[in-house]
C-alpha cells in the first residue's frame, strides 16, 4: 500500500527542490541563501548540488515543473514572490499533477490495482464510489468470517452452494453486488470459500436481493441456505418473519410477494422446491454480517 502523498515526497519534492536550488545558484544565490529560500539545511543544499539526492526524470522534464521552477526562481531572486507564494504555486501544481496527471500515473505504477478507478479523485472523495465499493467488499469479508467460524455452518449449505452477497447503495444490477465467485461449498464438513468477494459474480442470490429491493425492501445483503421445515420453524421461533414464494410463478415471485409489505430490517423468504428446483431459504438484511449472524440461531 503506497499513498499518493508518498509519491509527492519521494518523487516531486526532491526533484523540484533540486531544480530550484540549481536555478537559484545560477542566479547568484549563495548556499546559505538557497537554504533559507527553500527552508532546508545547507547540508541538504550541498547534497542537491552534488547530485546526492534521488530525483525523478519524468518530473524533472515535465514542462509545467520546468516553468514553475523558472517562475519561482525569478520571483524569489527579484523579491516579487514571497516564500509563501512560492509554496502556494507549488501546491497548486501538485494538486493538478495528482488529479489524473503525472503524479497520478506514477501512483498507479506503484499501485496497479488503482488503474481501473478514477485516480486521485476517487481515492480522496469520502463519498466516492471507490470507497463505497471497498467498504462493501470489507463487509462481505466480515460476514464470511462469521460464517466460516460458526461451527456447523457447512451443514446448512445447499447442494447448489451458498453465497453471501451485499449491494452498493444504488444497486440496480448484479454488477453492483459483491459476492463470492464460484459460491461457498461444503467440502468434507468444511465451508470452503473459493475466492475474494467480487462484483457481478452472482446471478442467483444477487437476483433475489435485487427483487427484494425492487419491491421496496430496505435490504442490502442476502445469504442462501438449505430449506427444510425445521429451519423455518427455528427462524420463526427466533422472531424472524418467514415468507414463502412460488419459484414456478411466471413473473418475479419475490418482487410480487414483497411489494407493498411492511417488512422488518431482517427477514426470510423461502421456496419449498419445484420441478427441477432445489428448495432454498434466503436471509435478507441490512448488511452481510447481519445476515450471517442469523445463521447462529440455527446452530
Amino acid at each position: 500500500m503506497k499513498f499518493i502523498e508518498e509519491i509527492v515526497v519521494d518523487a516531486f519534492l526532491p526533484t523540484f527542490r533540486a531544480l530550484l536550488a540549481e536555478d537559484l545558484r545560477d542566479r547568484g544565490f549563495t548556499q546559505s541563501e538557497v537554504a533559507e529560500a527553500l527552508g532546508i539545511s545547507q547540508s541538504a543544499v550541498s547534497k542537491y548540488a552534488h547530485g546526492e539526492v534521488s530525483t525523478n526524470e519524468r518530473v524533472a522534464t515535465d514542462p509545467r515543473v520546468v516553468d514553475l521552477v523558472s517562475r519561482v526562481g525569478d520571483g524569489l531572486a527579484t523579491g516579487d514572490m514571497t516564500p509563501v507564494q512560492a509554496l502556494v504555486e507549488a501546491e497548486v501544481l501538485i494538486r493538478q499533477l495528482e488529479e489524473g496527471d503525472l503524479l497520478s500515473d506514477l501512483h498507479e505504477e506503484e499501485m496497479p490495482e488503482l488503474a481501473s478507478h478514477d485516480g486521485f479523485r476517487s481515492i480522496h472523495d469520502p463519498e466516492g464510489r471507490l470507497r463505497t465499493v471497498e467498504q462493501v467488499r470489507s463487509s462481505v469479508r466480515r460476514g464470511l468470517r462469521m460464517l466460516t467460524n460458526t461451527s456447523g455452518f457447512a451443514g446448512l449449505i445447499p447442494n447448489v452452494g451458498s453465497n453471501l452477497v451485499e449491494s452498493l447503495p444504488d444497486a440496480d444490477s448484479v454488477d453492483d453486488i459483491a459476492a463470492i465467485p464460484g459460491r461457498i461449498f461444503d467440502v468434507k464438513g468444511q465451508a470452503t470459500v473459493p475466492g475474494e468477494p467480487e462484483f457481478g459474480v452472482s446471478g442467483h442470490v444477487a437476483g433475489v436481493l435485487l427483487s427484494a429491493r425492487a419491491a421496496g425492501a430496505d435490504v442490502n445483503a442476502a445469504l442462501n441456505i438449505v430449506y427444510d421445515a425445521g429451519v423455518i420453524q427455528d427462524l420463526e421461533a427466533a422472531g424472524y418473519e418467514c415468507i414463502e414464494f412460488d419459484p414456478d410463478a411466471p413473473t418475479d415471485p419475490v418482487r410480487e410477494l414483497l411489494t407493498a409489505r411492511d417488512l422488518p430490517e431482517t427477514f426470510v423468504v423461502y421456496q419449498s422446491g419445484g420441478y427441477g428446483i432445489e428448495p432454498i431459504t434466503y436471509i435478507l438484511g441490512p448488511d452481510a454480517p447481519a445476515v450471517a449472524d442469523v445463521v447462529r440461531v440455527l446452530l
Side-chain angles (χ1 to χ4, degrees), residues 70-262:
S70 178
R71 287 191 293 111
V72 170
D74 182 66
L76 292 176
T78 60
D80 292 341
M81 184 180 291
T82 66
V84 170
Q85 184 184 352
L87 175 64
V88 171
E89 295 294 330
E91 287 283 2
V92 168
L93 180 58
I94 289 171
R95 297 290 87 77
Q96 178 184 346
L97 298 181
E98 284 178 330
E99 296 194 38
D101 211 311
L102 175 60
L103 295 180
S104 179
D105 293 342
L106 294 175
H107 191 209
E108 286 180 7
E109 290 171 13
E110 295 287 344
M111 292 281 293
E113 51 268 58
L114 293 174
S116 61
H117 300 286
D118 186 21
F120 177 87
R121 190 175 302 279
S122 66
I123 298 169
H124 289 76
D125 183 359
E127 305 300 326
R129 181 179 175 86
L130 176 57
R131 187 184 188 200
T132 304
V133 163
E134 292 305 318
Q135 286 173 335
V136 169
R137 290 186 202 270
S138 179
S139 181
V140 174
R141 291 189 191 101
R142 289 196 299 273
L144 283 171
R145 283 198 302 272
M146 292 171 64
L147 292 175
T148 55
N149 290 334
T150 299
S151 177
F153 169 65
L156 294 174
I157 299 175
N159 293 329
V160 295
S162 287
N163 215 327
L164 177 65
V165 308
E166 184 170 330
S167 69
L168 295 173
D170 57 352
D172 58 13
S173 77
V174 296
D175 291 334
D176 300 321
I177 297 179
I180 309 307
R183 304 183 186 178
I184 309 165
F185 284 98
D186 174 6
V187 179
K188 297 182 178 179
Q190 181 70 39
T192 302
V193 180
E196 282 285 293
E198 296 179 20
F199 282 82
V201 296
S202 171
H204 183 62
V205 182
V208 171
L209 176 59
L210 287 169
S211 293
R213 288 169 58 86
D218 187 16
V219 291
N220 298 309
L223 168 70
N224 67 315
I225 59 174
V226 296
Y227 162 82
D228 67 44
V231 166
I232 299 304
Q233 288 172 2
D234 288 345
L235 289 169
E236 289 178 333
Y240 294 104
E241 183 174 352
C242 298
I243 306 165
E244 184 174 10
F245 67 93
D246 179 5
D248 290 321
T251 56
D252 184 337
V254 173
R255 181 173 181 174
E256 291 286 339
L257 188 66
L258 300 183
T259 297
R261 279 182 178 259
D262 184 14

